Amino acid sequence: MSSEDDDPHWPARESERWTASSLWRRSRDRAREDKSSWDYVISSGVAGGIAGCVAKTSIAPLDRVKILFQTSNADFAKYAGHPMGLIHAIARIYRTSGVPGLFQGHLVTLLRIFPYAGIKYMAYDWSEAILVPTPDKRTPARFFVAGAFSGVTSVLLTYPLELIRVRLAYQTQASERTSLVQAVRSIYREAERRPPGTGTSSISALTRSIPLYPFYRGFSISLIGMVPYAGTSFLTYGTLRRHLPDYVPYLAESATARDLVCGGIAGAVSQTASYPFEVVRRRMQVGGARGGYGITWRDAVKSVYETRGMRGFFVGLTIGYLKVVPMTSIAYTTWQMMKRVLEI
């Protein structure tokens, strides 16, 4: 059995054993040498969580407008598809609610995004270390699987907070605005409003009997959409980060510029690949906001198609690009920057 004296990272002198600097050095040494160590896993999660919060805050007003467009909110439907619709929508929110209106629901977003992003980036680092242990294992399929796994894991563990955030962002009338606690209660009671006998599958009947079922409305379509989104995002970012500097020498000299460019392109590609799933998910998430009991994914797809046809599955995509490209760019850049700060 190893002892403290056998640990090369343990300070030689007794006086150094319990100082903050010595503990920090030992932790950083373990993290650099072993990606499966708790030192690396926790550091990666903290770096990812901070990156997610910084990126989400930078595009919060665009995120709220996109939700209103995706869900065909009656007060903002006339702006969707209009060349200046984004500006008009932001101006209206500002006139009626001021700056707080542009960040409505953002507190819940931050409460969700820190664990969501932390888990996502941590799971990616962990799965990449397993799937790509050596350079000869660097294949697009392995990077895609690592990205998809990280996205699915993070969604599974943080989805209820995402649903609450969407409900708060969807509210536009002063009379319908609710607090965080009221929103939680409203979602929980939607299961009680569902008429008996609705839904035909045994799986649907089973899930509806689970108390937390209303908080996972749209979860199945989220998982399906997360696979192409996260898988494509990490695959594109990782591939560009390794090869783009060979064609653009400036990016080889500046790590920040490289991460910004590669992250932005990855955001555009992943957003395009997964956007229809996101539209359907938003419809399901707000299905019970007007006092109903929610809708299934089939109802959501039918509603979108009957309202706008195939174009309906891409409504708000322009805003999606304006939101996701800088958000992903900032997220990847902050993630790498925090990893350098944490010396991993």
Side-chain angles (χ1 to χ4, degrees):
M1 181 180 295
S2 63
S3 64
E4 293 176 357
D5 295 332
D6 297 327
D7 188 347
H9 307 311
W10 190 255
R13 292 182 299 175
E14 183 72 25
S15 60
E16 295 181 358
R17 289 195 172 188
W18 300 110
T19 64
S21 60
S22 65
L23 294 174
W24 173 260
R25 287 197 303 273
R26 293 182 64 226
S27 174
R28 296 309 88 199
D29 289 338
R30 285 194 299 266
R32 284 192 294 269
E33 294 176 3
D34 184 9
K35 285 192 173 184
S36 64
S37 68
W38 279 109
D39 298 87
Y40 183 88
V41 170
I42 293 175
S43 298
S44 178
V46 170
I50 294 174
C53 290
V54 172
K56 257 313 190 189
T57 301
S58 67
I59 51 84
L62 293 175
D63 200 21
R64 190 182 179 212
V65 172
K66 192 185 74 165
I67 290 174
L68 294 173
F69 283 4
Q70 285 178 329
T71 55
S72 295
N73 185 285
D75 297 319
F76 288 82
K78 62 183 178 181
Y79 301 127
H82 191 279
M84 298 293 289
L86 171 62
I87 296 176
H88 290 317
I90 290 179
R92 174 168 178 171
I93 294 173
Y94 181 77
R95 286 196 306 270
T96 57
S97 306
V99 173
L102 297 174
F103 288 86
Q104 186 170 310
H106 187 58
L107 175 60
V108 179
T109 298
L110 294 181
L111 292 176
R112 164 190 170 267
I113 203 63
F114 185 85
Y116 168 82
I119 292 170
K120 183 175 73 171
Y121 289 114
M122 180 174 61
Y124 178 78
D125 274 338
W126 178 79
S127 57
E128 183 190 28
I130 294 176
L131 294 172
V132 192
T134 57
D136 61 293
K137 300 292 186 181
R138 291 179 177 273
T139 64
R142 290 175 182 268
F143 284 110
F144 182 89
V145 170
F149 170 77
S150 68
V152 168
T153 302
S154 58
V155 168
L156 176 65
L157 298 177
T158 62
Y159 189 81
L161 291 173
E162 161 70 1
L163 176 58
I164 296 169
R165 192 267 301 195
V166 170
R167 287 297 182 85
L168 292 174
Y170 180 74
Q171 299 165 359
T172 57
Q173 300 294 331
S175 59
E176 68 183 14
R177 287 188 193 130
T178 59
S179 65
L180 173 60
V181 174
Q182 290 172 326
V184 171
R185 289 176 179 172
S186 175
I187 295 171
Y188 181 78
R189 290 170 181 167
E190 285 173 17
E192 303 173 358
R193 297 201 294 264
R194 176 177 287 274
T198 56
T200 56
S201 70
S202 58
I203 295 179
S204 297
L206 175 63
T207 54
R208 286 198 301 276
S209 66
I210 300 174
L212 292 180
Y213 165 73
F215 293 95
Y216 279 86
R217 190 175 308 285
F219 178 66
S220 59
I221 201 71
S222 295
L223 285 184
I224 296 173
M226 183 52 67
V227 171
Y229 179 81
T232 303
S233 180
F234 278 106
L235 171 60
T236 304
Y237 172 75
T239 302
L240 292 175
R241 194 168 186 265
R242 286 191 302 275
H243 300 296
L244 193 59
D246 296 336
Y247 301 95
V248 185
Y250 171 72
L251 298 181
E253 302 172 2
S254 173
T256 300
R258 177 194 60 199
D259 293 329
L260 285 170
V261 172
C262 295
I265 297 174
V269 173
S270 59
Q271 179 75 350
T272 304
S274 63
Y275 196 79
F277 297 100
E278 186 175 349
V279 172
V280 174
R281 172 167 58 99
R282 297 299 192 205
R283 286 297 182 93
M284 295 178 68
Q285 288 175 333
V286 301
R290 299 290 186 179
Y293 53 84
I295 59 177
T296 65
W297 69 266
R298 294 183 181 86
D299 295 331
V301 171
K302 181 180 179 182
S303 174
V304 173
Y305 185 78
E306 290 180 346
T307 302
R308 294 177 176 269
M310 289 302 299
R311 294 182 60 185
F313 294 99
F314 294 92
V315 64
L317 180 58
T318 301
I319 298 178
Y321 287 140
L322 294 176
K323 166 203 162 188
V324 170
V325 170
M327 182 187 73
T328 309
S329 179
I330 293 171
Y332 277 123
T333 303
T334 307
W335 179 44
Q336 294 297 337
M337 188 179 300
M338 289 302 305
K339 291 176 77 172
R340 289 192 290 273
V341 170
L342 295 174
E343 301 177 13
I344 58 172

